[in-house]
Amino acid sequence: DSGVTQTPKHLITATGQRVTLRCSPRSGDLSVYWYQQSLDQGLQFLIQYYNGEERAKGNILERFSAQQFPDLHSELNLSSLELGDSALYFCASSVGYSENEQFFGPGTRLTVL
Amino acid sequence: AQSVTQLDSHVSVSEGTPVLLRCNYSSSYSPSLFWYVQHPNKGLQLLLKYTSAATLVKGINGFEAEFKKSETSFHLTKPSAHMSDAAEYFCVVSGAKNNDMRFGAGTRLTVKP
């Protein structure tokens, strides 16, 4: 158990809908990262927040957004969902904001029908 | 910009024989390099990391990797495979300027009895 929690474990929704994925980092970790893992794209870094501020951006679509709250938990919002958004979404956390070991949560499996 | 190439999508070994998972990287900066393991339906777990200290890095579960700058490689090895090593392995590069981690496509390791 990495100490990173993600909810929900599974999410099934329809195209065009909006969903929110939630992540709680390990106690003491200030950075939260979001990743998308799909069969065709592999594992892709989406975005990083450090202590409430956006720190780094990867291949995140404009339909997706994230935020980190004062208690350091983070939410990833996915809107106008498409079939291709079906994937496993991982959250990870680390103590600092660069070159630190990242601890991964168990993931949220999103299925868009 | 940085990128990583895992040279084998699938490696199959017999239990008790050596494991070699190959990874080449490209980075504009002095890279940090990581190997992560993902067991089925689980999140990613860090095996080991290289951050410009010793070029031979020892990780958990008997794995080690050697950073070779001249060959831009960071291959993962283990002297003797165990059935529990069967999983997906990801080589990851992170640049010095930000924490944008780039994952390889993954190598699926199968261990035969």
Side-chain angles (χ1 to χ4, degrees):
Chain A
D1 185 359
S2 67
V4 178
T5 60
Q6 290 186 247
T7 56
K9 284 189 177 179
H10 302 277
L11 200 48
I12 301 174
T13 188
T15 54
Q17 295 297 306
R18 172 189 170 94
V19 297
T20 298
L21 313 184
R22 183 188 169 100
C23 168
S24 292
R26 289 189 324 154
S27 176
D29 285 358
L30 298 180
S31 269
V32 169
Y33 313 78
W34 286 98
Y35 295 88
Q36 179 194 58
Q37 185 178 37
S38 61
L39 285 175
D40 54 344
Q41 302 274 3
L43 195 58
Q44 291 195 97
F45 166 70
L46 296 178
I47 197 164
Q48 176 200 1
Y49 277 81
Y50 174 76
N51 205 21
E53 300 289 327
E54 183 183 304
R55 182 73 190 182
K57 222 168 187 176
N59 296 325
I60 188 166
L61 299 172
E62 286 194 12
R63 299 184 286 110
F64 296 0
S65 64
Q67 55 184 332
Q68 187 179 26
F69 294 87
D71 67 352
L72 301 177
H73 90 271
S74 178
E75 293 181 356
L76 179 67
N77 300 296
L78 315 177
S79 61
S80 303
L81 285 167
E82 303 174 358
L83 295 177
D85 298 327
S86 296
L88 198 52
Y89 290 85
F90 286 108
C91 166
S93 72
S94 69
V95 173
Y97 56 78
S98 68
E99 298 184 22
N100 293 124
E101 176 181 353
Q102 296 184 21
F103 294 84
F104 282 76
T108 293
R109 183 168 294 282
L110 174 67
T111 302
V112 182
L113 301 175
Chain B
Q2 56 267 1
S3 65
V4 65
T5 302
Q6 292 184 242
L7 301 171
D8 308 291
S9 60
H10 186 209
V11 169
S12 181
V13 301
S14 296
E15 190 175 20
T17 64
V19 175
L20 170 63
L21 306 183
R22 299 183 295 165
C23 172
N24 286 349
Y25 71 90
S26 171
S27 179
S28 303
Y29 312 103
S30 297
S32 292
L33 293 157
F34 308 78
W35 276 98
Y36 280 83
V37 61
Q38 184 180 26
H39 288 93
N41 300 313
K42 299 281 189 182
L44 282 77
Q45 180 186 20
L46 181 69
L47 280 178
L48 49 81
K49 64 179 178 180
Y50 166 78
T51 54
S52 73
T55 56
L56 183 62
V57 183
K58 293 189 184 297
I60 62 171
N61 300 336
F63 284 94
E64 62 181 39
E66 186 171 8
F67 173 73
K68 291 187 177 180
K69 187 175 181 179
S70 61
E71 299 176 10
T72 61
S73 69
F74 190 58
H75 301 335
L76 181 71
T77 61
K78 182 173 181 177
S80 176
H82 192 272
M83 295 297 292
S84 61
D85 294 327
E88 188 93 16
Y89 291 80
F90 292 93
C91 182
V92 185
V93 63
S94 175
K97 293 291 186 181
N98 61 54
N99 206 16
D100 183 359
M101 309 256 289
R102 299 300 173 108
F103 285 72
T107 297
R108 180 166 298 279
L109 175 65
T110 300
V111 182
K112 297 175 290 188

